[in-house]
Amino acid sequence: MVIIEVSMLSGFIMTSRSRMLLENRTIVKKIEVKANVVYIYLEKLNDESQTFVLQLEQVIQVKNLKPASIKIYDYYQPEERALAEYSAVCS
């Protein structure tokens, strides 16, 4: 099993439409939202490229918005991971 851990930008939440679109993908086993982190559980990954789009909605205006992190790792071997950051389009 593979987990994609997406930290939300400060003041943002994932839209319900985005969650619905992710849940309809056959590769997605389940989605959890805890505090301001979205966990996307995948059955497995192979060498085929995958793209995941999360639509975020700003619910609180935040000044000096800092980038947030995305981690992807194997549930059974968490040391096998990749890290990235993302920023709001408007920043």
Side-chain angles (χ1 to χ4, degrees), residues 17-59:
R17 176 170 161 53
S18 183
R19 182 178 182 134
M20 183 182 59
L21 291 172
L22 285 172
E23 289 174 337
N24 286 335
R25 297 195 47 183
T26 56
I27 193 171
V28 175
K29 185 173 181 176
K30 92 176 174 179
I31 297 171
E32 288 182 344
V33 179
K34 295 183 180 176
N36 57 345
V37 179
V38 176
Y39 298 90
I40 304 167
Y41 295 82
L42 309 177
E43 287 291 335
K44 61 182 175 180
L45 284 180
N46 53 29
D47 55 355
E48 186 178 315
S49 178
Q50 297 285 331
T51 301
F52 296 87
V53 177
L54 274 70
Q55 296 173 336
L56 306 181
E57 178 182 351
Q58 188 171 20
V59 292

Side-chain angles (χ1 to χ4, degrees), residues 45-85:
L45 284 180
N46 53 29
D47 55 355
E48 186 178 315
S49 178
Q50 297 285 331
T51 301
F52 296 87
V53 177
L54 274 70
Q55 296 173 336
L56 306 181
E57 178 182 351
Q58 188 171 20
V59 292
I60 300 171
Q61 188 73 26
V62 176
K63 290 184 180 184
N64 301 321
L65 193 60
K66 305 290 186 234
S69 66
I70 300 173
K71 299 177 195 172
I72 184 167
Y73 54 92
D74 185 311
Y75 180 81
Y76 301 104
Q77 296 177 327
E79 66 278 358
E80 303 262 339
R81 66 177 181 256
L83 305 169
E85 288 187 338

